[in-house]
């Protein structure tokens, strides 16, 4: 058995396939799990504890796309991470497998009793279920933990309804974390996430100016998902090809070179000590500290001097991280 498997109706395998593959009772943690934050990990910890008691396999069941993108077409959420990264982090948190249910309009319109029946038919050897205490499911969110409790009694499985986690007066939720990151409060976001925020993306061709004019080549990272913090220069760590590099990260529109007409925000990372090409590769960028705002310099020489000062600060920061 692989440590993590991807199950989706789109690939021809469902939760039933995961259940058949395990050959043991399952303990199921259900949620979207965007960000796999500390609240999610609390839920997973309880399911893993139940799995140990019941000699079961802990599995996470997530949904793709995000339910709100189906239920609210005009305001889909900006996700903290893409599905591949979500699955990777669920594995790190202890899920032996991750099952992915396609969240379709048909699924959204399913009566909660029918949803539960489909779940039990998919996993006849269900030993435990863990959800958030405020979890709603089924048509118009009409299903709740009380309904799930009655099904747990009827079908003889354990239920863990986990209360929301509160840290420093804030409910730990993906929406709160998105707001903190967008507002530049990365330290507060880290407290709720339990780790420094990262963005995954593919390296694409950029303007080509940093390498030629500044002797400071950058990887132009196009994020696959994620919330960008305010424009500026940040310390960071880029994980690529199995290695980690300290990086000077600029988020913004490169105003020194008159690119303001192109309002598309870019992520450009200068990897310290790296030589080679990353074009076309997927990398993960862990954001560190905010250093300064993005600014327009009068000359390239002034910009070069500022970059050198930035790099010196980032080397000092990275010495404590790597």
């Amino acid at each position: 058995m692989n440590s993590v498997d991807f199950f989706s109706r789109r690939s021809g395998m469902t939760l039933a396939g995961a259940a058949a593959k395990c050959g043991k009772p399952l303990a199921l943690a259900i949620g979207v799990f965007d960000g796999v934050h500390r609240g999610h990990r609390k839920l997973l910890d309880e399911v893993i504890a139940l799995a140990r008691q019941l000699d079961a396999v802990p599995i996470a069941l997530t949904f793709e796309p995000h339910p709100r993108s189906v239920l609210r077409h005009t305001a889909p959420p900006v996700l903290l991470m893409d599905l591949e990264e979500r699955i990777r982090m669920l594995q790190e948190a202890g899920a032996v497998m991750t099952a992915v249910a396609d969240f379709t309009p048909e699924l959204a319109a399913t009566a909660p009793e029918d949803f539960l029946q489909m779940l039990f038919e998919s996993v006849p050897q269900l030993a435990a279920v863990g959800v958030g205490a405020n979890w709603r499911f089924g048509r118009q969110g009409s299903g709740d933990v009380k309904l799930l409790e009655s099904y747990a009694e009827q079908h003889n499985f354990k239920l863990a309804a986990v209360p929301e986690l509160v840290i420093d007066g804030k409910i730990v939720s993906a929406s709160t974390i998105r707001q903190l990151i967008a507002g530049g409060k990365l330290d507060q976001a880290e407290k709720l996430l339990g780790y420094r925020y990262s963005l995954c993306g593919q390296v694409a061709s950029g303007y080509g100016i940093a390498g030629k004019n500044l002797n400071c080549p950058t990887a132009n990272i196009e994020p696959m998902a994620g919330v960008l913090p305010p424009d500026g220069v940040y310390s960071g760590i880029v994980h690529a090809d199995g290695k980690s590099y300290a990086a000077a990260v600029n988020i913004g529109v490169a105003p020194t070179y008159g690119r303001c007409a192109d309002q598309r925000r870019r992520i450009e990372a200068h990897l310290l000590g790296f030589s080679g090409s990353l074009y076309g590769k997927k990398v993960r960028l862990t954001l560190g500290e905010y250093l300064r705002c993005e600014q327009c310099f009068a000359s390239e020489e002034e910009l070069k001097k500022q970059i050198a000062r930035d790099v010196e600060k980032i080397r000092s920061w990275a010495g404590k991280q790597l």
Side-chain angles (χ1 to χ4, degrees), residues 52-117:
R52 289 197 189 101
Q53 294 172 20
L54 302 168
D55 191 27
V57 178
I59 285 186
L61 172 61
T62 187
F63 300 90
E64 180 71 10
H66 192 290
R68 263 178 36 205
S69 68
V70 175
L71 299 172
R72 304 178 191 175
H73 299 286
T74 57
V78 177
L79 299 184
L80 293 168
M81 56 181 53
D82 64 12
L83 179 60
E84 183 179 343
E85 184 69 0
R86 197 189 320 166
I87 291 171
R88 183 188 73 81
M89 293 199 68
L90 286 167
Q91 176 189 13
E92 284 189 356
V96 172
M97 287 179 166
T98 296
V100 183
D102 297 326
F103 197 89
T104 62
E106 292 76 19
L107 183 60
T110 301
E113 296 84 359
D114 293 338
F115 174 82
L116 291 175
Q117 188 61 38

Side-chain angles (χ1 to χ4, degrees), residues 13 81 112 244:
M13 295 190 75
M81 56 181 53
S244 299

Side-chain angles (χ1 to χ4, degrees), residues 147-179:
L147 177 60
L148 193 52
E149 285 174 346
S150 68
Y151 269 71
E153 291 179 5
Q154 293 173 29
H155 293 267
N156 194 32
F157 65 86
K158 300 287 186 181
L159 174 64
V162 182
E164 290 176 322
L165 182 63
V166 178
I167 297 175
D168 293 342
K170 294 183 176 65
I171 295 174
V172 179
S173 69
S175 57
T176 298
I177 292 166
R178 293 183 195 113
Q179 292 171 5

